[in-house]
Amino acid sequence: MRRIASVIVDVPTLQTNRPFDYIIPVDLIEHIEVGMRVVVPFGNRHIQGFIVDFKEQSDVKNLKEIIEPMDVTPVLNKELLHLGDFLSEKTLCFKIAAYQVMLPPALKAKYDKYLTLVQQEKSNELPDGLKKLFFYQNRVNWKDAEKFAPTSYLYRKAREGLFEVIYEVKSQGNKKKVLYYVPTTENVTEFQTKKDQLPKPLSPKQEEIYQFFVNEFKPHTVKQVEEQISNARAPLNALVDRGLLKKEEYEQYRDPYVNREFERTQPLPLTDDQQKAISPILQAIEENQDGVFLLNGVTGSGKTEVYLQSIQEVLNKGKEAIVLVPEISLTPQMVNRFKSRFGDLVAVLHSGLSLGEKYDEWRKIQRKEVKVVVGARSAIFAPFENLGIIIIDEEHENSYKQEDVPRYHARDVAIERSKIHNCPVVLGSATPSLESFARAQKGVYHLLTMDKRMNQVNLPTVEIVDMREELKSGNRSMFSEQLFEKMQDRIAKKEQIVLMLNRRGYSAFVMCRDCGLVVKCPNCDISLTYHKVTDQLKCHYCGFETITPKVCPECNSNHIRYFGTGTQKVEEELGKVLPEARVIRMDVDTTSRKGSHEKLLAAFGEGKADILLGTQMIAKGLDFPNITLVGVLSADSSLHIPDFRSSEKTFQLLTQVSGRAGRHKLPGEVVIQTYTPEHYSVQFAKNHDYLQFYQYEMMMRKRGQYPPFYYLTLIHINHENVQYVYSVAEKIASFLRSQLSPTTHILGPAASPIVKIKNKYRYQVLIKYKQDPNLPTALKKIIHHFHRDQIKHGLTISVDMDPYSLM
DNA sequence: AGCACGCCGACT
DNA sequence: GTCGGCGTGCTC
């Protein structure tokens, strides 16, 4: 008999990070399973928890009873529970945090529970009261249903498929709300009457806006109004005061592109390269072998077709597939390729979906209505029970590492799952991370190489232009002579151009040209970001906002200027030197609105522009046949970021963006402008020589004792008081030195590159180790030791095993 | 996280 | 004598 349940409660603290036992009430015994969420009494309140185990006996005497289950079927199966433990172990997070991250966020939020009648034909079997409820509505509030039928009946019937239990998110705190101005009347006629009855006539500006609403009698945002009438905010509010309009907040919904028709595609004949690459994968699928394949294929070599045909094989075996793609390339173009091949068997999970939509996709997986999931990082937790393959596209992308708790890497989770399911993992990239390629070299991963493009197209030729020489020869424009000539040529030939301004790590900022002051956040040690729309300066770390100063706060000079991401400036310049060119600009300013990213790309794809100008966001995934020239305006800026991966990132970026040129019939050319042409990242990118880059960079990493030669762990110590932070950091470092192996290097304490965020000083200790069995224990000890200070003094200590950014 | 318990100073 | 400050410890 299952009498007692062990529950991980939703209280994320050190002391509660263990199971608590509860008695299962007799009438719930047959409805409760491991992996379900339950409501339990904890102290004097009711909280959520996950059942992780059943037992006969408990050491605790006065057990309380479970109050009610929250699910009809478990939300975490055995495997996911195991993965949760794996995560909490590997990343040192609380179990509850690990479980939560695996579920769609809708299950975490506050919710209302409803019942819908799935099998309409059986409505006669329902108890009278329920029958009546379902007669008037197709969804019934759970609490109402309980008035007419025993809870256990509802659960049983839900499990049998008569009902479905639906969660609807109640608190939409994390959904985006937008303020609308809404006419206060039912129709236009009343609207006009109401205006005529006003004691005083409207001001001209108010009248103008009023007429705008008469013409389009529906809710509008300030933004919408201001597209036609500038400075509308104040008069809009005046109209609110005068009773003609009211303010209402609506939820922002996204245009769903879901119900679109997809033209079915058939498997394409594979090239020799593809054939060679796919056969060991197919073999692993066939033989239920786990293992990691690193598919190193140059841009345009047809990795996606290899994925598609591997998945087909998996589906033929009746199994399921997970495909991870970086969020940024999760565009309709990408999704279409999977939908077109596998149709309704595909679920898509990405950040653009609302909570409800994400939940719906997740339910499709859970109910086994789909067999393939395409999604960003968290899709790795898709609750499939019969996985046949896991694919991680653009394996080197850092978005696979979650930067807040739990700080997991999707690749590690994928490998853990592949061992459980005995299925292969395929890591695909034209420029694999050094870590992965090194493992492939050592034979830990199987290396599969595709070094030729499909359609017998060659990789584009790359020309490096030394901008110092350009300057010397008197060319002060941002386009070198070579690039400019080629641009003219392409425009004449009606071919398309991609121009990338490499500004990784930069955003718009305000600087005084006289004294060089950059306006910084008063709470954080970081430059404020300029927002053109509102003419404000914002801090990306703490949300501080201020009006852009007109004179320098330091020297009172009025030569205070706004330095953009640079794309606007390039656009202006293009307008001067190539006035006939049609330009689409893609940067944070033009793509901040949801869906605008896709729209701009679609317009470019339809040939509505000659030049696509953008920041590194354009480097990935575009595949348009007419692009024959790629220009990189400044290759250097990502080289000088203080990060041991900056060379790798630069090489990847240059290679990726070069890969946009000449993917189909027309040959491609690339021009890279740089002030450091001799840098190896630039030189190896010129020759598309990943291998050489790899060897050189490995040497650098070895010298610097960085991954993949050493593992890293980064500890952040934050507090308002500098001295206190430093003393804690100092204690941590010396404790570690006493506990860890002598071959382990402990660096610091040192101030973090961003020394202050939200008025808290940040210090860090970096651990480099090859293997150190004592590390997890030592880290846990540190966390325990400073636990008291953490709650008492607002000290925070965070540990990132395998950090991606050292900021 | 929340809340009770408990031990010290200031008050009707 | 009592009220309330918050430091400490527990929650099945």
Side-chain angles (χ1 to χ4, degrees):
Chain A
M1 269 306 260
R2 320 185 299 203
R3 297 281 318 134
I4 294 167
S6 290
V7 175
I8 298 287
V9 293
D10 184 10
V11 183
T13 62
L14 205 53
Q15 299 142 314
T16 52
N17 190 31
R18 61 183 176 85
F20 286 80
D21 293 344
Y22 288 89
I23 292 172
I24 305 169
V26 185
D27 61 322
L28 285 180
I29 283 185
E30 56 168 318
H31 302 295
I32 282 192
E33 288 173 51
V34 165
M36 279 183 179
R37 296 171 305 149
V38 286
V39 177
V40 292
F42 195 69
N44 61 348
R45 58 208 170 114
H46 292 177
I47 58 168
Q48 222 193 85
F50 289 85
I51 299 188
V52 292
D53 202 6
F54 290 129
K55 36 162 98 166
E56 292 295 322
Q57 297 282 312
S58 174
D59 304 334
V60 183
K61 282 203 305 282
N62 301 316
L63 294 185
K64 291 183 181 173
E65 287 195 351
I66 288 174
I67 293 169
E68 58 165 354
M70 298 175 67
D71 302 307
V72 174
T73 51
V75 290
L76 295 175
N77 59 31
K78 286 270 159 58
E79 188 205 351
L80 290 178
L81 281 171
H82 163 79
L83 280 181
D85 298 343
F86 169 82
L87 277 184
S88 93
E89 189 66 31
K90 290 278 171 193
T91 72
L92 299 177
C93 71
F94 299 129
K95 290 214 163 135
I96 191 71
Y99 295 152
Q100 311 259 44
V101 80
M102 301 193 286
L103 294 175
L107 293 183
K108 217 173 80 180
K110 287 189 180 143
Y111 63 93
D112 263 339
K113 206 167 168 185
Y114 290 96
L115 277 178
T116 57
L117 189 59
V118 179
Q119 298 164 342
Q120 293 285 350
E121 68 283 1
K122 292 195 184 164
S123 65
N124 278 334
E125 296 173 15
L126 294 173
D128 279 351
L130 269 188
K131 210 188 293 173
K132 220 175 249 170
L133 285 178
F134 278 113
F135 184 78
Y136 292 113
Q137 54 199 10
N138 46 19
R139 50 195 281 194
V140 168
N141 192 298
W142 179 274
K143 289 271 174 277
D144 294 337
E146 273 182 321
K147 289 174 197 154
F148 299 103
T151 315
S152 58
Y153 167 87
L154 296 176
Y155 277 121
R156 193 168 64 247
K157 288 297 175 190
R159 206 131 21 103
E160 288 169 9
L162 179 61
F163 303 123
E164 179 170 12
V165 182
I166 291 180
Y167 295 94
E168 194 173 77
V169 181
K170 212 199 273 176
S171 91
Q172 282 136 353
N174 31 11
K175 280 196 182 178
K176 217 173 162 180
K177 287 205 176 157
V178 175
L179 185 69
Y180 280 83
Y181 288 84
V182 192
T184 48
T185 60
E186 292 282 312
N187 51 52
V188 185
T189 329
E190 282 178 41
F191 197 44
Q192 279 162 341
T193 333
K194 198 158 182 179
K195 183 195 112 174
D196 295 338
Q197 287 166 355
L198 288 174
K200 277 193 217 160
L202 299 176
S203 76
K205 191 89 184 192
Q206 291 167 9
E207 183 65 34
E208 194 185 350
I209 290 170
Y210 171 82
Q211 285 305 331
F212 175 85
F213 273 88
V214 172
N215 290 335
E216 279 187 78
F217 192 71
K218 59 169 196 192
H220 287 94
T221 63
V222 179
K223 228 181 189 172
Q224 288 167 339
V225 178
E226 286 189 337
E227 274 168 22
Q228 306 208 2
I229 306 163
S230 57
N231 300 325
R233 172 156 287 158
L236 271 170
N237 287 328
L239 288 174
V240 172
D241 293 340
R242 307 193 69 168
L244 288 170
L245 298 178
K246 59 187 172 186
K247 291 187 196 176
E248 260 171 38
E249 284 196 326
Y250 294 143
E251 206 168 288
Q252 183 82 323
Y253 287 115
R254 187 172 199 275
D255 302 335
Y257 58 88
V258 202
N259 295 324
R260 215 192 307 163
E261 285 292 317
F262 294 97
E263 201 177 313
R264 275 310 186 88
T265 61
Q266 294 302 317
L268 306 170
L270 296 178
T271 64
D272 285 355
D273 260 9
Q274 286 173 321
Q275 193 62 53
K276 258 185 237 151
I278 201 173
S279 66
I281 300 175
L282 295 181
Q283 194 184 340
I285 295 168
E286 202 49 52
E287 295 171 358
N288 300 320
Q289 274 288 323
D290 68 314
V292 182
F293 294 93
L294 178 61
L295 178 57
N296 180 204
V298 296
T299 54
S301 60
K303 292 187 283 290
T304 311
E305 189 61 30
V306 173
Y307 304 154
L308 290 168
Q309 296 198 19
S310 304
I311 294 170
Q312 187 60 58
E313 185 64 24
V314 164
L315 297 183
N316 293 348
K317 285 195 75 185
K319 293 188 170 187
E320 297 127 359
I322 295 177
V323 184
L324 297 189
V325 287
E327 183 69 57
I328 190 154
S329 51
L330 201 50
T331 54
Q333 215 187 0
M334 182 78 193
V335 171
N336 282 1
R337 296 199 63 178
F338 287 86
K339 287 253 184 190
S340 308
R341 192 66 63 84
F342 304 116
D344 292 340
L345 292 177
V346 181
V348 181
L349 284 170
H350 62 87
S351 65
L353 300 179
S354 71
L355 292 187
E357 287 169 325
K358 274 185 201 156
Y359 175 68
D360 291 345
E361 295 297 293
W362 184 82
R363 281 288 287 158
K364 282 188 206 160
I365 304 164
Q366 209 197 20
R367 285 196 229 132
K368 312 208 178 344
E369 292 170 3
V370 293
K371 295 281 185 183
V372 180
V373 167
V374 181
R377 180 179 61 230
S378 62
I380 194 60
F381 299 112
F384 283 135
E385 295 186 329
N386 204 3
L387 267 177
I389 195 167
I390 301 173
I391 292 164
I392 304 186
D393 188 33
E394 307 288 354
E395 169 279 334
H396 59 277
E397 277 291 312
N398 51 9
S399 66
Y400 290 124
K401 171 70 197 290
Q402 174 150 312
E403 285 294 339
D404 42 54
V405 186
R407 302 177 207 278
Y408 69 93
H409 198 297
R411 191 201 296 130
D412 302 332
V413 180
I415 293 170
E416 182 68 13
R417 290 198 80 174
S418 78
K419 287 180 192 155
I420 297 166
H421 290 274
N422 297 311
C423 74
V425 174
V426 178
L427 308 176
S429 176
T431 51
S433 63
L434 283 228
E435 286 88 335
S436 293
F437 203 79
R439 282 187 198 139
Q441 293 284 296
K442 279 173 76 180
V444 182
Y445 297 169
H446 309 274
L447 182 62
L448 308 170
T449 309
M450 300 200 295
D451 50 18
K452 284 187 278 305
R453 285 189 149 185
M454 294 183 303
N455 319 327
Q456 288 86 47
V457 200
N458 287 325
L459 283 165
T461 52
V462 180
E463 190 175 340
I464 310 281
V465 179
D466 185 344
M467 290 306 276
R468 293 171 303 192
E469 293 300 320
E470 288 288 313
L471 207 63
K472 269 185 214 156
S473 63
N475 178 5
R476 305 200 61 185
S477 97
M478 49 184 81
F479 307 109
S480 60
E481 216 159 291
Q482 289 95 320
L483 180 58
F484 185 65
E485 274 171 23
K486 291 200 165 84
M487 281 165 44
Q488 283 180 314
D489 171 62
R490 295 314 135 101
I491 290 181
K493 285 202 265 183
K494 305 257 180 265
E495 294 172 5
Q496 287 179 301
I497 303 166
V498 166
L499 286 183
M500 184 182 74
L501 190 68
N502 179 12
R503 271 304 181 98
R504 202 176 97 90
Y506 285 86
S507 45
F509 61 100
V510 165
M511 188 172 96
C512 170
R513 299 194 88 180
D514 283 345
C515 71
L517 173 99
V518 174
V519 184
K520 283 192 165 188
C521 173
N523 311 318
C524 311
D525 172 46
I526 187 144
S527 321
L528 292 171
T529 301
Y530 179 71
H531 286 249
K532 199 174 189 176
V533 198
T534 51
D535 192 35
Q536 275 183 323
L537 294 172
K538 277 187 193 160
C539 174
H540 278 189
Y541 286 86
C542 74
F544 174 85
E545 283 180 17
T546 178
I547 313 164
T548 310
K550 298 284 167 280
V551 294
C552 173
E554 193 67 27
C555 69
N556 282 327
S557 151
N558 53 11
H559 292 135
I560 185 151
R561 260 203 58 195
Y562 143 59
F563 290 78
T565 47
T567 44
Q568 293 101 318
K569 220 173 150 194
V570 179
E571 194 180 20
E572 272 168 38
E573 179 96 3
L574 278 172
K576 277 182 215 147
V577 297
L578 284 172
E580 70 277 26
R582 296 162 302 162
V583 181
I584 288 182
R585 176 162 66 89
M586 274 182 56
D587 57 26
V588 275
D589 282 343
T590 62
T591 58
S592 51
R593 283 238 305 278
K594 278 235 166 106
S596 48
H597 193 249
E598 286 83 359
K599 266 186 212 144
L600 292 175
L601 281 184
F604 187 66
E606 289 160 16
K608 288 182 183 157
D610 309 297
I611 300 178
L612 179 65
L613 164 67
T615 49
Q616 60 277 357
M617 66 172 71
I618 60 171
K620 277 172 208 90
L622 350 171
D623 190 355
F624 297 122
N626 205 26
I627 302 175
T628 59
L629 176 64
V630 166
V632 180
L633 295 181
S634 51
D636 318 88
S637 28
S638 59
L639 279 177
H640 308 305
I641 297 171
D643 184 308
F644 71 93
R645 279 187 244 259
S646 66
S647 300
E648 184 184 357
K649 291 283 153 234
T650 305
F651 176 79
Q652 285 165 349
L653 189 61
L654 295 180
T655 308
Q656 296 285 346
V657 73
S658 303
R660 302 309 113 209
R663 291 170 72 92
H664 295 257
K665 297 244 162 56
L666 302 165
E669 271 188 291
V670 180
V671 176
I672 296 176
Q673 302 187 161
T674 170
Y675 290 92
T676 43
E678 65 282 356
H679 192 283
Y680 63 95
S681 288
V682 178
Q683 285 299 326
F684 292 134
K686 168 179 159 67
N687 301 324
H688 310 282
D689 199 338
Y690 176 78
L691 215 63
Q692 287 252 15
F693 170 79
Y694 167 77
Q695 281 160 359
Y696 195 95
E697 179 68 8
M698 282 296 268
M699 189 183 79
M700 302 299 280
R701 298 288 179 90
K702 189 169 189 177
R703 202 179 287 169
Q705 298 179 320
Y706 279 115
F709 294 97
Y710 281 79
Y711 293 106
L712 298 182
T713 291
L714 184 65
I715 308 177
H716 268 291
I717 305 107
N718 303 347
H719 191 265
E720 285 164 15
N721 182 322
V722 204
Q723 266 118 42
Y724 182 59
V725 186
Y726 186 79
S727 78
V728 172
E730 180 64 39
K731 274 181 202 149
I732 288 175
S734 65
F735 176 73
L736 288 170
R737 287 195 176 94
S738 74
Q739 298 290 305
L740 301 181
S741 119
T743 56
T744 297
H745 304 280
I746 294 137
L747 279 73
S752 298
I754 303 165
V755 78
K756 196 167 77 167
I757 292 181
K758 294 188 193 175
N759 274 326
K760 286 189 160 189
Y761 287 90
R762 308 165 75 240
Y763 270 70
Q764 59 186 35
V765 175
L766 183 64
I767 307 165
K768 293 178 174 178
Y769 62 102
K770 278 192 189 280
Q771 56 175 34
D772 205 317
N774 295 332
L775 182 62
T777 332
L779 292 172
K780 279 181 203 158
K781 275 186 187 158
I782 289 170
I783 294 168
H784 274 91
H785 183 262
F786 289 103
H787 176 238
R788 181 129 301 146
D789 302 51
Q790 297 207 39
I791 22 190
K792 211 162 66 185
H793 300 121
L795 174 75
T796 54
I797 296 174
S798 65
V799 177
D800 191 345
M801 314 287 284
D802 188 21
Y804 226 86
S805 152
L806 299 187
M807 308 288 248

